[in-house]
Amino acid sequence: MSTKYIFVTGGVTSSLGKGIICASLGRLLVARGLKVTVQKLDPYINVDPGTMNPYEHGEVFVTDDGAETDLDLGHYERFLDIRTTQTNNVTTGRVYYDVINKERKGAYLGKTVQVIPHITDEIQSHVLKLGQSGNYDVVIVEIGGTVGDIESLPYIEAVRQLRYNVGRANTLSIHLTLIPYLSAAGELKTKPTQHSVKTLSESGLQPDILVCRTEYPLDESIRGKVARFCNVDLEDVIESIDARSIYEVPLLMQKEGLDTRVIEKLKLETHQPDLDQWIQFVDAVCNPSHEIEIALVGKYVEHHDSYKSIVEAFVHAGAMNDVKVSIRWIQSDNLDTNNVAQALSGVQGILVAPGFGGRGIEGKLSAVQYAREQKIPFFGICLGMQCAVIEYARNVCGLTEANSTEFDETTPHPIIDIMYDQKNIENMGGTMRLGKYNCSVIPNTFAYHAYGTDQVQERHRHRYEVNNEIRSVLSDNGLVFSGLNPERDLVEIVEIPQHPWFVGVQFHPELRSTASNPQALFVAFVKAAKKQAGFE
Ligand code: GLN
């Protein structure tokens, strides 16, 4: 069977949840035994989102192979329980970068290099790369942006050509659109969808299926109107109504027949979907026995998407522990030793988040100190772990001026220091210690109990590290290095044994948590917080 391609475009407005629809369709096809991956095409000029501010773009999702990618890849991994790679995310910046590099090497043999065909060919070759790997029955391609945007045009044109090149029967075009409800008129309105489909069709791409986001159920007459005006069959108008949880969306899409329409149109051979585990998971997410509250201390908390994978890892770990984890968002800029007790009172766990730069550091340090002294379960991730180490050095080891050289280059006690291979780096993009590295876990530690094994691999994104030259002061004073990178002897996990649960990790465990395989440290942290709440 040759690889089938499903292209998903979005219309009317952004933020309709195209990533969730792609991930949900992917889940349904995986549940039918197909091998599926999802690719995101992003129409911006950055080569990748790695250099973008979290306010701008939300979380940067790092893959096993060290690519800094769009946060939608996180949804794909969490829903499909797959691993994505650099190939799964392509931006306009990357496409142009590759084309310009080829041009400099003379690869175009003196031709004028143009958007059509050179840029559109390059886009096609990026899409085909996944199919040509031979690993997939279906590649779902999410096209970022909204139909009608100038930036999206080369992508739509590339898809139009690609449908022709690989054969119409091997491709499908799905358009995600909005049917808004006008309360003054008391009606759902189809006109924006009609216009969006018209714009798409003018570019040569007629959708085969319309997925319609709506706050209210779509009755037969609305569906009929959409079908008629947009030139699709009635059964190809799929309602996507607001769900209780994003993880319910695959089930709602199945009820609407999205997967059946797709397999019929693409003539895919599949078995009946096996969704038992997924149904159980959604039930656990939507009907937990208890609720606990965990503080998330960070400097980008106004923008929850900055911590997307952490939030989702809590959903997975919560379902596993039969609790709902509600997050108390704490802005670290406003936190200090005077108000920390009040700000964090009543929470059953404290997570200090990843981040870059010195803003809000003292607030994070006071949150660590509070968790350590009040014996509240604590989880420090990347910068959060570095804060835990600085706090320990200052308040337990007595090195009151200990710091990271990221915030104070002249500190007398650089307990966190830049990695030697990062010292002379000038280019910011893609140059951190990125991606999957080994970690040996020491037996009889919180980390070992959580993982149940002494060899793990986790993803990284950082330039600084516990300073090996002076790290013995920490262990001499009781901090346990429970995880080490065997190749470079770097500290990966620290913990305090005389505590209900106090763990800091240099890596990003949240990036490997999926609905079907919740990340072990998150599960253990939530379990400890549940115990702290007295639910056990
Ligand atoms: N700023 C820190 C470093 O570069 C931590 C990075 C992070 O939290 N991802 O090492």
Side-chain angles (χ1 to χ4, degrees):
M1 189 167 75
S2 59
T3 302
K4 312 283 185 181
Y5 295 88
I6 301 174
F7 299 99
V8 181
T9 51
V12 182
T13 163
S14 58
S15 303
L16 288 183
K18 227 182 306 149
I20 301 294
I21 293 294
C22 292
S24 298
L25 175 59
R27 174 76 252 167
L28 292 176
L29 298 179
V30 166
R32 287 172 173 272
L34 295 167
K35 288 183 277 159
V36 185
T37 194
V38 193
Q39 183 182 45
K40 175 87 189 272
L41 306 180
D42 275 311
Y44 50 73
I45 315 284
N46 304 61
V47 173
D48 61 42
T51 51
M52 276 192 239
N53 186 320
Y55 292 116
E56 195 70 24
H57 190 267
E59 168 186 278
V60 174
F61 188 81
V62 181
T63 55
D64 275 350
D65 63 344
E68 296 179 285
T69 71
D70 186 75
L71 56 72
D72 274 326
L73 272 74
H75 291 309
Y76 311 154
E77 293 204 1
R78 290 187 283 270
F79 277 62
L80 279 72
D81 202 25
I82 54 165
R83 302 285 180 224
T84 56
T85 66
Q86 173 78 73
T87 319
N88 290 75
N89 193 194
V90 180
T91 70
T92 296
R94 171 153 318 271
V95 170
Y96 272 79
Y97 192 82
D98 292 348
V99 168
I100 290 168
N101 274 332
K102 280 190 200 166
E103 185 273 335
R104 292 289 82 183
K105 288 186 183 138
Y108 297 109
L109 305 175
K111 289 263 180 235
T112 307
V113 181
Q114 294 178 294
V115 173
I116 302 170
H118 302 102
I119 295 297
T120 46
D121 280 356
E122 191 69 25
I123 293 172
Q124 290 186 65
S125 82
H126 277 289
V127 173
L128 290 171
K129 222 183 263 175
L130 282 168
Q132 284 160 349
S133 70
N135 295 333
Y136 306 107
D137 303 316
V138 179
V139 178
I140 300 173
V141 183
E142 175 184 351
I143 298 163
T146 309
V147 165
D149 294 349
I150 291 175
E151 293 96 335
S152 303
L153 283 174
Y155 290 96
I156 306 286
E157 171 60 14
V159 170
R160 188 191 68 76
Q161 293 180 22
L162 208 140
R163 291 197 83 181
Y164 183 77
N165 293 341
V166 299
R168 230 144 238 288
N170 292 323
T171 69
L172 201 65
S173 158
I174 298 182
H175 188 54
L176 176 66
T177 176
L178 175 72
I179 310 281
Y181 179 79
L182 281 197
S183 44
E187 276 178 12
L188 289 161
K189 292 293 184 189
T190 64
K191 193 70 82 187
T193 294
Q194 294 177 36
H195 280 295
S196 182
V197 172
K198 187 167 165 243
T199 309
L200 194 55
S201 303
E202 278 169 5
S203 309
L205 198 60
Q206 163 66 35
D208 300 299
I209 295 177
L210 290 175
V211 178
C212 304
R213 291 283 292 114
T214 174
E215 289 173 43
Y216 295 93
L218 304 180
D219 62 23
E220 283 302 304
S221 82
I222 292 277
R223 286 175 193 249
K225 204 167 164 188
V226 172
R228 219 170 23 252
F229 285 113
C230 299
N231 217 7
V232 298
D233 289 340
L234 191 60
E235 315 81 278
D236 294 328
V237 178
I238 304 288
E239 168 194 290
S240 169
I241 201 157
D242 293 352
R244 290 177 296 172
S245 150
I246 53 170
Y247 296 102
E248 197 183 21
V249 177
L251 304 179
L252 298 178
M253 288 300 98
Q254 192 204 18
K255 247 191 231 155
E256 280 287 304
L258 176 62
D259 55 334
T260 344
R261 297 306 293 154
V262 167
I263 59 170
E264 264 177 46
K265 285 176 187 291
L266 288 176
K267 303 201 172 23
L268 288 162
E269 288 155 29
T270 71
H271 56 64
Q272 283 304 309
D274 176 4
L275 285 163
D276 291 353
Q277 261 198 329
W278 194 267
I279 292 169
Q280 274 173 24
F281 168 70
V282 173
D283 185 52
V285 170
C286 295
N287 305 300
S289 300
H290 303 287
E291 182 165 341
I292 59 168
E293 193 179 21
I294 289 181
L296 192 156
V297 184
K299 68 174 178 180
Y300 313 112
V301 290
E302 306 86 354
H303 193 48
H304 296 184
D305 270 1
S306 309
Y307 305 106
K308 192 81 205 161
S309 294
I310 293 178
V311 173
E312 298 308 324
F314 275 134
V315 176
H316 311 153
M320 192 85 162
N321 280 291
D322 191 23
V323 294
K324 173 181 163 51
V325 178
S326 83
I327 295 176
R328 188 185 298 180
W329 298 92
I330 304 282
Q331 170 55 260
S332 52
D333 294 19
N334 308 333
L335 213 56
D336 56 40
T337 41
N338 298 320
N339 63 18
V340 67
Q342 196 197 353
L344 298 178
S345 87
V347 298
Q348 287 88 40
I350 295 169
L351 182 145
V352 176
F356 294 85
R359 174 162 74 81
I361 286 301
E362 295 304 318
K364 288 182 177 175
L365 293 175
S366 55
V368 176
Q369 185 175 7
Y370 182 78
R372 182 176 59 76
E373 291 178 351
Q374 301 303 315
K375 299 217 179 299
I376 298 167
F378 169 85
F379 199 10
I381 298 183
C382 206
L383 181 64
M385 172 267 207
Q386 297 175 355
C387 287
V389 168
I390 295 168
E391 195 278 331
Y392 205 84
R394 286 188 189 176
N395 299 330
V396 179
C397 309
L399 307 175
T400 49
E401 289 174 74
N403 214 332
S404 164
T405 49
E406 183 177 4
F407 321 126
D408 177 5
E409 280 185 47
T410 59
T411 169
H413 305 295
I415 198 71
I416 305 291
D417 198 9
I418 193 150
M419 284 180 272
Y420 68 82
D421 51 355
Q422 289 283 332
K423 278 190 181 149
N424 298 317
I425 285 175
E426 282 173 10
N427 263 356
M428 297 308 278
T431 55
M432 283 187 244
R433 181 175 181 239
L434 289 166
K436 187 176 75 173
Y437 286 96
N438 294 325
C439 172
S440 305
V441 184
I442 314 301
N444 275 323
T445 57
F446 290 128
Y448 186 84
H449 288 308
Y451 281 118
T453 168
D454 61 1
Q455 288 304 322
V456 297
Q457 294 185 315
E458 296 283 2
R459 298 181 192 173
H460 297 68
R461 184 173 188 248
H462 63 121
R463 295 189 199 280
Y464 294 80
E465 185 66 55
V466 174
N467 186 344
N468 278 350
E469 284 175 19
I470 54 172
R471 80 182 195 197
S472 58
V473 67
L474 298 164
S475 45
D476 289 348
N477 283 280
L479 192 71
V480 170
F481 304 134
S482 55
L484 292 167
N485 172 259
E487 286 81 24
R488 289 174 58 184
D489 190 35
L490 301 175
V491 174
E492 297 281 9
I493 316 179
V494 301
E495 51 187 80
I496 301 175
Q498 297 78 26
H499 192 280
W501 205 85
F502 189 106
V503 175
V505 291
Q506 184 57 76
F507 47 77
H508 289 266
E510 71 278 16
L511 301 178
R512 283 192 138 216
S513 192
T514 70
S516 315
N517 282 303
Q519 204 280 337
L521 295 172
F522 271 87
V523 174
F525 176 45
V526 170
K527 190 169 181 215
K530 183 180 172 187
K531 194 167 172 199
Q532 186 83 5
F535 301 132
E536 249 205 343

